[in-house]
PDB file of all heavy atoms in Angstrom:
ATOM      1  N   GLY P 320       5.198   8.466   4.725  1.00  0.00           N
ATOM      2  CA  GLY P 320       3.893   8.913   5.220  1.00  0.00           C
ATOM      3  C   GLY P 320       3.197   7.864   6.055  1.00  0.00           C
ATOM      4  O   GLY P 320       2.307   8.171   6.844  1.00  0.00           O
ATOM      5  N   ALA P 321       3.551   6.612   5.874  1.00  0.00           N
ATOM      6  CA  ALA P 321       2.974   5.511   6.652  1.00  0.00           C
ATOM      7  C   ALA P 321       3.966   4.357   6.575  1.00  0.00           C
ATOM      8  O   ALA P 321       4.881   4.372   5.731  1.00  0.00           O
ATOM      9  CB  ALA P 321       1.630   5.088   6.067  1.00  0.00           C
ATOM     10  N   ARG P 322       3.770   3.365   7.431  1.00  0.00           N
ATOM     11  CA  ARG P 322       4.716   2.255   7.495  1.00  0.00           C
ATOM     12  C   ARG P 322       4.773   1.482   6.171  1.00  0.00           C
ATOM     13  O   ARG P 322       3.746   1.100   5.617  1.00  0.00           O
ATOM     14  CB  ARG P 322       4.299   1.312   8.621  1.00  0.00           C
ATOM     15  CG  ARG P 322       5.260   0.206   8.874  1.00  0.00           C
ATOM     16  CD  ARG P 322       4.810  -0.675  10.027  1.00  0.00           C
ATOM     17  NE  ARG P 322       5.366  -2.014   9.864  1.00  0.00           N
ATOM     18  CZ  ARG P 322       6.653  -2.309   9.998  1.00  0.00           C
ATOM     19  NH1 ARG P 322       7.507  -1.375  10.310  1.00  0.00           N
ATOM     20  NH2 ARG P 322       7.078  -3.547   9.832  1.00  0.00           N
ATOM     21  N   VAL P 342      11.128   7.312   3.307  1.00  0.00           N
ATOM     22  CA  VAL P 342      11.032   8.631   3.928  1.00  0.00           C
ATOM     23  C   VAL P 342      10.137   8.529   5.157  1.00  0.00           C
ATOM     24  O   VAL P 342       8.988   8.111   5.062  1.00  0.00           O
ATOM     25  CB  VAL P 342      10.419   9.666   2.952  1.00  0.00           C
ATOM     26  CG1 VAL P 342      10.279  11.022   3.626  1.00  0.00           C
ATOM     27  CG2 VAL P 342      11.268   9.785   1.691  1.00  0.00           C
ATOM     28  N   PHE P 343      10.707   8.863   6.298  1.00  0.00           N
ATOM     29  CA  PHE P 343       9.882   9.013   7.496  1.00  0.00           C
ATOM     30  C   PHE P 343       9.891  10.505   7.798  1.00  0.00           C
ATOM     31  O   PHE P 343      10.964  11.122   7.860  1.00  0.00           O
ATOM     32  CB  PHE P 343      10.476   8.233   8.664  1.00  0.00           C
ATOM     33  CG  PHE P 343       9.932   8.683  10.003  1.00  0.00           C
ATOM     34  CD1 PHE P 343       8.653   8.330  10.394  1.00  0.00           C
ATOM     35  CD2 PHE P 343      10.694   9.478  10.849  1.00  0.00           C
ATOM     36  CE1 PHE P 343       8.140   8.762  11.608  1.00  0.00           C
ATOM     37  CE2 PHE P 343      10.187   9.907  12.061  1.00  0.00           C
ATOM     38  CZ  PHE P 343       8.913   9.553  12.447  1.00  0.00           C
ATOM     39  N   GLY P 344       8.712  11.073   7.925  1.00  0.00           N
ATOM     40  CA  GLY P 344       8.721  12.509   8.181  1.00  0.00           C
ATOM     41  C   GLY P 344       7.421  12.972   8.753  1.00  0.00           C
ATOM     42  O   GLY P 344       6.501  12.176   8.967  1.00  0.00           O
ATOM     43  N   MET P 345       7.367  14.248   8.999  1.00  0.00           N
ATOM     44  CA  MET P 345       6.161  14.831   9.575  1.00  0.00           C
ATOM     45  C   MET P 345       6.133  16.305   9.205  1.00  0.00           C
ATOM     46  O   MET P 345       7.191  16.926   9.039  1.00  0.00           O
ATOM     47  CB  MET P 345       6.189  14.658  11.092  1.00  0.00           C
ATOM     48  CG  MET P 345       7.411  15.269  11.742  1.00  0.00           C
ATOM     49  SD  MET P 345       7.810  14.540  13.332  1.00  0.00           S
ATOM     50  CE  MET P 345       8.495  12.974  12.852  1.00  0.00           C
ATOM     51  N   ALA P 346       4.921  16.817   9.079  1.00  0.00           N
ATOM     52  CA  ALA P 346       4.785  18.234   8.731  1.00  0.00           C
ATOM     53  C   ALA P 346       5.409  19.115   9.826  1.00  0.00           C
ATOM     54  O   ALA P 346       5.803  20.248   9.569  1.00  0.00           O
ATOM     55  CB  ALA P 346       3.315  18.574   8.548  1.00  0.00           C
ATOM     56  N   GLU P 347       5.542  18.571  11.029  1.00  0.00           N
ATOM     57  CA  GLU P 347       6.154  19.320  12.131  1.00  0.00           C
ATOM     58  C   GLU P 347       7.635  19.570  11.886  1.00  0.00           C
ATOM     59  O   GLU P 347       8.224  20.431  12.535  1.00  0.00           O
ATOM     60  CB  GLU P 347       5.999  18.542  13.450  1.00  0.00           C
ATOM     61  CG  GLU P 347       4.631  18.636  14.100  1.00  0.00           C
ATOM     62  CD  GLU P 347       3.608  17.696  13.489  1.00  0.00           C
ATOM     63  OE1 GLU P 347       3.950  17.007  12.510  1.00  0.00           O
ATOM     64  OE2 GLU P 347       2.463  17.657  13.974  1.00  0.00           O
ATOM     65  N   GLN P 366      14.095   3.261   8.007  1.00  0.00           N
ATOM     66  CA  GLN P 366      13.658   4.551   7.465  1.00  0.00           C
ATOM     67  C   GLN P 366      14.844   5.531   7.406  1.00  0.00           C
ATOM     68  O   GLN P 366      14.661   6.751   7.431  1.00  0.00           O
ATOM     69  CB  GLN P 366      12.510   5.121   8.302  1.00  0.00           C
ATOM     70  CG  GLN P 366      11.161   4.450   8.004  1.00  0.00           C
ATOM     71  CD  GLN P 366      11.127   2.995   8.435  1.00  0.00           C
ATOM     72  OE1 GLN P 366      11.393   2.682   9.597  1.00  0.00           O
ATOM     73  NE2 GLN P 366      10.825   2.093   7.513  1.00  0.00           N
ATOM     74  N   ASP P 426       5.652   8.800  17.939  1.00  0.00           N
ATOM     75  CA  ASP P 426       6.035   7.609  17.173  1.00  0.00           C
ATOM     76  C   ASP P 426       6.990   6.755  17.991  1.00  0.00           C
ATOM     77  O   ASP P 426       7.841   7.283  18.711  1.00  0.00           O
ATOM     78  CB  ASP P 426       6.731   8.010  15.863  1.00  0.00           C
ATOM     79  CG  ASP P 426       5.769   8.643  14.885  1.00  0.00           C
ATOM     80  OD1 ASP P 426       4.713   8.041  14.635  1.00  0.00           O
ATOM     81  OD2 ASP P 426       6.059   9.752  14.394  1.00  0.00           O
ATOM     82  N   ILE P 438      10.864   2.736  12.423  1.00  0.00           N
ATOM     83  CA  ILE P 438       9.613   3.166  13.065  1.00  0.00           C
ATOM     84  C   ILE P 438       8.802   1.912  13.357  1.00  0.00           C
ATOM     85  O   ILE P 438       8.447   1.160  12.448  1.00  0.00           O
ATOM     86  CB  ILE P 438       8.821   4.146  12.162  1.00  0.00           C
ATOM     87  CG1 ILE P 438       9.714   5.326  11.743  1.00  0.00           C
ATOM     88  CG2 ILE P 438       7.558   4.642  12.851  1.00  0.00           C
ATOM     89  CD1 ILE P 438      10.344   6.092  12.880  1.00  0.00           C
ATOM     90  N   LYS P 443       0.539   7.737  19.648  1.00  0.00           N
ATOM     91  CA  LYS P 443      -0.548   8.695  19.463  1.00  0.00           C
ATOM     92  C   LYS P 443      -1.792   8.023  18.901  1.00  0.00           C
ATOM     93  O   LYS P 443      -1.699   7.024  18.201  1.00  0.00           O
ATOM     94  CB  LYS P 443      -0.080   9.854  18.586  1.00  0.00           C
ATOM     95  CG  LYS P 443       0.444   9.449  17.246  1.00  0.00           C
ATOM     96  CD  LYS P 443       1.196  10.598  16.602  1.00  0.00           C
ATOM     97  CE  LYS P 443       1.825  10.148  15.296  1.00  0.00           C
ATOM     98  NZ  LYS P 443       2.784  11.086  14.766  1.00  0.00           N
ATOM     99  N   ILE P 447      -3.833   5.777  10.498  1.00  0.00           N
ATOM    100  CA  ILE P 447      -3.184   6.219   9.259  1.00  0.00           C
ATOM    101  C   ILE P 447      -3.764   5.383   8.115  1.00  0.00           C
ATOM    102  O   ILE P 447      -3.428   4.223   7.935  1.00  0.00           O
ATOM    103  CB  ILE P 447      -1.645   6.113   9.331  1.00  0.00           C
ATOM    104  CG1 ILE P 447      -1.133   6.928  10.539  1.00  0.00           C
ATOM    105  CG2 ILE P 447      -1.009   6.638   8.043  1.00  0.00           C
ATOM    106  CD1 ILE P 447       0.382   7.041  10.636  1.00  0.00           C
ATOM    107  N   LYS P 452      -3.946  10.976   7.866  1.00  0.00           N
ATOM    108  CA  LYS P 452      -3.943  10.790   9.313  1.00  0.00           C
ATOM    109  C   LYS P 452      -5.307  11.209   9.849  1.00  0.00           C
ATOM    110  O   LYS P 452      -5.770  12.313   9.556  1.00  0.00           O
ATOM    111  CB  LYS P 452      -2.864  11.644   9.970  1.00  0.00           C
ATOM    112  CG  LYS P 452      -1.507  11.638   9.249  1.00  0.00           C
ATOM    113  CD  LYS P 452      -0.814  10.309   9.358  1.00  0.00           C
ATOM    114  CE  LYS P 452       0.520  10.194   8.669  1.00  0.00           C
ATOM    115  NZ  LYS P 452       0.752  10.725   7.383  1.00  0.00           N
TER     116      LYS P 452
HETATM  117  P1  AMP R   1       2.227  13.956   8.574  1.00  0.00           P
HETATM  118  O1  AMP R   1       2.649  15.125   9.381  1.00  0.00           O
HETATM  119  O2  AMP R   1       0.805  14.019   8.147  1.00  0.00           O
HETATM  120  O3  AMP R   1       3.161  13.672   7.456  1.00  0.00           O
HETATM  121  O4  AMP R   1       2.287  12.681   9.541  1.00  0.00           O
HETATM  122  C1  AMP R   1       3.452  12.349  10.201  1.00  0.00           C
HETATM  123  C2  AMP R   1       3.313  10.991  10.814  1.00  0.00           C
HETATM  124  O5  AMP R   1       3.137   9.995   9.800  1.00  0.00           O
HETATM  125  C3  AMP R   1       4.532  10.549  11.570  1.00  0.00           C
HETATM  126  O6  AMP R   1       4.603  11.120  12.859  1.00  0.00           O
HETATM  127  C4  AMP R   1       4.323   9.043  11.588  1.00  0.00           C
HETATM  128  O7  AMP R   1       3.377   8.670  12.567  1.00  0.00           O
HETATM  129  C5  AMP R   1       3.726   8.768  10.224  1.00  0.00           C
HETATM  130  N1  AMP R   1       4.770   8.408   9.259  1.00  0.00           N
HETATM  131  C6  AMP R   1       5.342   9.201   8.338  1.00  0.00           C
HETATM  132  N2  AMP R   1       6.248   8.535   7.608  1.00  0.00           N
HETATM  133  C7  AMP R   1       6.270   7.273   8.076  1.00  0.00           C
HETATM  134  C8  AMP R   1       7.022   6.082   7.752  1.00  0.00           C
HETATM  135  N3  AMP R   1       7.924   6.069   6.763  1.00  0.00           N
HETATM  136  N4  AMP R   1       6.786   4.977   8.490  1.00  0.00           N
HETATM  137  C9  AMP R   1       5.877   4.971   9.483  1.00  0.00           C
HETATM  138  N5  AMP R   1       5.136   6.050   9.825  1.00  0.00           N
HETATM  139  C10 AMP R   1       5.323   7.190   9.139  1.00  0.00           C
END
Side-chain angles (χ1 to χ4, degrees):
R322 186 179 154 70
V342 178
F343 162 75
M345 57 203 74
E347 281 81 357
Q366 282 67 55
D426 290 309
I438 306 304
K443 57 194 175 192
I447 303 187
K452 316 291 179 318

